[in-house]
Amino acid sequence: MNTIAKSKRLSKPTSTPQPKGFPWWLLLIFIGIGAILLMNQYKDVDFIVEDEEGNLTLSEERQEKLERKLKELEEAEQYVLRAREPAYYPCYSCPDTNVIFLLPGEVWRYGVTTKRQKGRYDEKYIEENRLIYFVQFEGTLQACLIEEQKKIYHYALLPENLKRSIPLIRPPGNKIDN
């Protein structure tokens, strides 16, 4: 065998350059940029603010809206809409027609609202639909919903309903039981 070829085979491989250390300075730059972005992420958000101690909190407007919503849940009303005059009214519970003749004072719908009459039905709606809005119960939203359910289910037993040839399962203005 040729000595030159033999020496090439036996010679140690040339060393490959060792990688240099991790560029920690690059990691520090990324961490710094991330921190700046994190601190500024709430800059354009108007519902989160930073308090005097640097803690994040709801903005004053958002906190006030929450308090209004919670107050509404405590101050609900259960109402009834009654016919104001003898006329045909829409009927969502009638088995064979979509209108029903109601006499003055007869129940058209039971409901619950946290917005009071002006929020739920404005005067124009009440007037145009020949209705009377009457508050039957005031309390928490849960208490009003309970009262509403009792009224809707017991409607079937009211004398004004029992006089019909086919009594209704619920008031004519209530599409479903709630």
Side-chain angles (χ1 to χ4, degrees), residues 62-95:
R62 189 78 172 152
Q63 185 65 37
E64 288 172 359
K65 185 174 181 180
L66 170 62
E67 289 169 13
R68 281 193 308 272
K69 288 288 187 182
L70 294 176
K71 185 177 179 184
E72 285 178 3
L73 296 177
E74 295 295 321
E75 298 178 359
E77 63 186 29
Q78 183 271 309
Y79 63 87
V80 61
L81 294 176
R82 295 183 181 274
R84 189 179 68 235
E85 58 189 57
Y88 284 94
Y89 291 82
C91 185
Y92 306 114
S93 301
C94 295

Side-chain angles (χ1 to χ4, degrees), residues 9 17 22-23 26 32-33 35 42 53 60 70 72 76 104 115 132 145 153 155 162 176:
R9 265 191 280 144
F22 183 79
L26 188 59
I33 290 172
Y42 301 108
E53 291 95 36
E60 185 177 331
L70 294 176
E72 285 178 3
K115 305 288 187 194
I132 299 169
L145 289 169
Y153 278 86
Y155 175 82
L162 293 174
I176 56 177

Side-chain angles (χ1 to χ4, degrees), residues 111-129:
V112 168
T113 184
T114 59
K115 305 288 187 194
R116 305 295 177 187
Q117 177 182 351
K118 295 197 183 306
R120 181 67 174 137
Y121 298 105
D122 62 14
E123 290 181 33
K124 182 179 177 185
Y125 178 88
I126 298 290
E127 185 67 30
E128 287 176 355
N129 290 284

Side-chain angles (χ1 to χ4, degrees), residues 7-25:
S7 68
K8 282 187 180 179
R9 265 191 280 144
L10 296 176
S11 67
K12 293 181 180 177
T14 60
S15 62
T16 57
Q18 293 294 321
K20 295 183 180 181
F22 183 79
W24 291 104
W25 57 272

Side-chain angles (χ1 to χ4, degrees), residues 1-9:
M1 189 186 258
N2 186 343
T3 56
I4 296 175
K6 196 176 196 183
S7 68
K8 282 187 180 179
R9 265 191 280 144

Side-chain angles (χ1 to χ4, degrees), residues 33-47:
I33 290 172
I36 291 169
L37 291 175
L38 186 62
M39 288 172 37
N40 288 330
Q41 77 177 354
Y42 301 108
K43 186 177 179 181
D44 295 328
V45 175
D46 61 354
F47 53 88

Side-chain angles (χ1 to χ4, degrees), residues 91-97 99-102 155-172:
C91 185
Y92 306 114
S93 301
C94 295
D96 55 352
T97 183
V99 294
I100 191 168
F101 189 81
L102 295 179
Y155 175 82
L157 302 173
L158 288 181
E160 68 188 59
N161 187 45
L162 293 174
K163 72 178 181 180
R164 296 187 175 97
S165 60
I166 302 174
L168 302 177
I169 191 169
R170 70 186 60 85

